[in-house]
Amino acid sequence: MTEDTTHRIPRHTTRIVLAERPHGTPTAATFRTEEAELPAPADGELLVGHRYISLDPYMRGRMSAGKSYAAPTPVGDVLPAETVSEVLESRHPDFAPGQLVVAYGGWQSAAVVPGAHARAVAANGLPASTALGVLGMPGFTAYAGLAEIGRVREGETLVVAAAAGPVGATVGQLARAAGARAVGIAGGPRKCAYLVEDLGFDAAIDHRSEDFGERLAAA
């Protein structure tokens, strides 16, 4: 039995759009909050309400007009983001109202998305937000980089840049689980302490330290 969501199907969304291209650090003027009407989903589409919205480093690059691996976000468009969303209305045979999915819904409260680009959130007893983190794009990136490309082996030493971020943190923990030594690089003493004390890295190096080269070689 699926949940009846008819009584709460939204017809408008609150969204955050790119108001102007930032120069340096984005400011409040970079963004604009607005209300917009939602179209009815067509065949193959889903109307979803967002539970969680991702905030990832790649988004800063998409705010700029410079050449990159992904197209820049046009000024006036919704900021792109993966979301954990509840299906409120479905025109796709693989999804039903009440189901949680990962979609590319953007920085807004609700959206109409292609069902072909959505995936169901696994009922594994873990918080649904993990589908945007360790069981989502950052976790998949970490696993593919380590297991399929780096192929770290027991007894080896792995150095992880940006180790306090979601991808780096997962890489280091996977390396330790595989029997390798994990040396993390991060900015500042708090992040370095987090890597060793909370995540189990064997060593952490502050890239801002004057003797960074010597510390890295020693580790």
Side-chain angles (χ1 to χ4, degrees):
M1 176 180 290
T2 59
E3 180 183 357
D4 180 10
T5 58
T6 305
H7 65 286
R8 55 190 180 87
I9 293 176
R11 293 307 174 196
H12 292 81
T13 181
T14 302
R15 62 187 191 179
I16 299 175
V17 303
L18 183 65
E20 63 181 27
R21 300 214 180 275
H23 300 283
T25 302
T27 67
T30 306
F31 311 104
R32 182 176 69 250
T33 303
E34 61 185 29
E35 297 289 319
E37 187 174 355
L38 284 169
D43 286 344
E45 292 184 328
L46 309 172
L47 171 59
V48 297
H50 301 336
R51 296 274 191 89
Y52 299 96
I53 298 175
S54 66
L55 178 62
D56 301 292
Y58 77 85
M59 295 174 179
R60 176 60 185 87
R62 297 201 63 180
M63 294 177 194
S64 299
K67 185 177 180 180
S68 181
Y69 63 89
T73 301
V75 173
D77 273 18
V78 176
L79 272 298
E82 271 196 318
T83 60
V84 169
S85 308
E86 179 185 357
V87 177
L88 302 177
E89 188 175 349
S90 176
R91 299 287 301 277
H92 192 285
D94 292 344
F95 302 101
Q99 190 173 3
L100 289 183
V101 297
V102 176
Y104 208 60
W107 286 11
Q108 54 187 334
S109 58
V112 173
V113 299
H117 297 167
R119 62 180 173 87
V121 174
N124 51 21
L126 298 175
S129 58
T130 58
L132 298 179
V134 69
L135 297 181
M137 180 271 288
F140 296 158
T141 302
Y143 179 82
L146 186 69
E148 300 298 327
I149 299 174
R151 298 183 182 273
V152 67
R153 297 173 181 171
E154 184 176 358
E156 292 182 329
T157 295
L158 179 72
V159 178
V160 185
V167 174
T170 306
V171 165
Q173 293 176 85
L174 290 174
R176 292 284 289 122
R181 291 185 67 249
V183 177
I185 299 174
R190 289 182 63 187
K191 289 183 179 180
C192 288
Y194 167 68
L195 293 179
V196 175
E197 297 171 7
D198 294 342
L199 301 186
F201 277 67
D202 295 281
I205 319 296
D206 185 349
H207 66 74
R208 299 171 183 165
S209 59
E210 294 182 359
D211 58 346
F212 169 73
E214 291 81 357
R215 291 190 180 194
L216 180 60

